[in-house]
Amino acid sequence: MIAKIQQLLSEVEALKANSAEELEALRIKYLSKKGVISELMADFRNVPAEQKKEVGMKLNELKQRTQERIAALKEVFESQDHGCDELDLTRTAYPIALGTRHPLSIVKNQIIDIFARMGFNIADGPEVEDDLHVYTKLNFAADHPARDMQDTFFVDVDPDDVTRNVILRSHTSSVQVRTMERQQPPIRIICPGRVYRNEAISYRAHCFFHQVEALYIDKGVSFTDLKQVLLLFAQEMFGSDTKIRLRPSYFPFTEPSAEMDISCNICGGKGCPFCKGTGWVEILGCGMVDPNVLEACGIDSKVYSGYALGMGIERITNLKYQVKDLRMFSENDVRFLREFEAAN
Ligand SMILES: [Zn+2]
């Protein structure tokens, strides 16, 4: 019996386990109720009386050494699980979700980028404006319907002088006026910004939206120059096979005026519900700056001529991304905004 206990003692000292399962198997083999040590304990009563003291001490030693050995192996496992080698202290505690640019900002930046490469500078101006810069100097007649309460947000009304009414700008053309007042040609600017109109909010109209306007004034600027810029812009924005067409139109501040259509980028000009089967979609208004506007801003219309063009950023964004509801742009729904991750 002593010899067997000695053999088990050296066996226990050499125990090894490579996994928690292996360790548990060892515990069952040695320490469970039907384990090796319990069996020895059961045999203890057969030990001759004179050997009982010595065998009992050896048996207790075996049991204690086995418990210690298995506890030590367990500790090794647990410290391995949290081993410092495995820790990456540079990792953040929680994954950081990166924000995305707003689709209108993405498209605005694309438009600015195209015009910047053609030599246009960005001009900025106030959103709270006066009538003089939004309407009067842009050749709007005193009774023009755009001045009406139906369209314009009034901040302060001057009963004596309509040109001093304080309003929210209804187009970014006021920035063109302010630039022409300050600066003699050559002028080559692009004016991106937010504008306000007093309209009921629905999926296709909002009380504020965004525009980009461009203005070029110099000696000898002609409609041909305008058309060339329009074609280049359309092809840069919507692809090199995009076609444009110009339709006569009317704006108070340009003469002649035109509206530009591009070949529908969704069906490629074949006709689809988006372009109402025509193969063309309208994207912007443009024209040669009316001489009255130049004169009102202190520029000699006999020496200089120029063109202006303007577009809604929401409209261009819809064409690129087919956003059906205009209200999505101002609701800040992160599910909507995350769809533009790839476009950033
Ligand atoms: Zn189409």
Side-chain angles (χ1 to χ4, degrees), residues 263-281:
S263 49
C264 177
N265 65 324
I266 293 160
C267 62
K270 291 186 196 77
C272 71
F274 191 83
C275 56
K276 299 189 181 77
T278 62
W280 296 94
V281 281

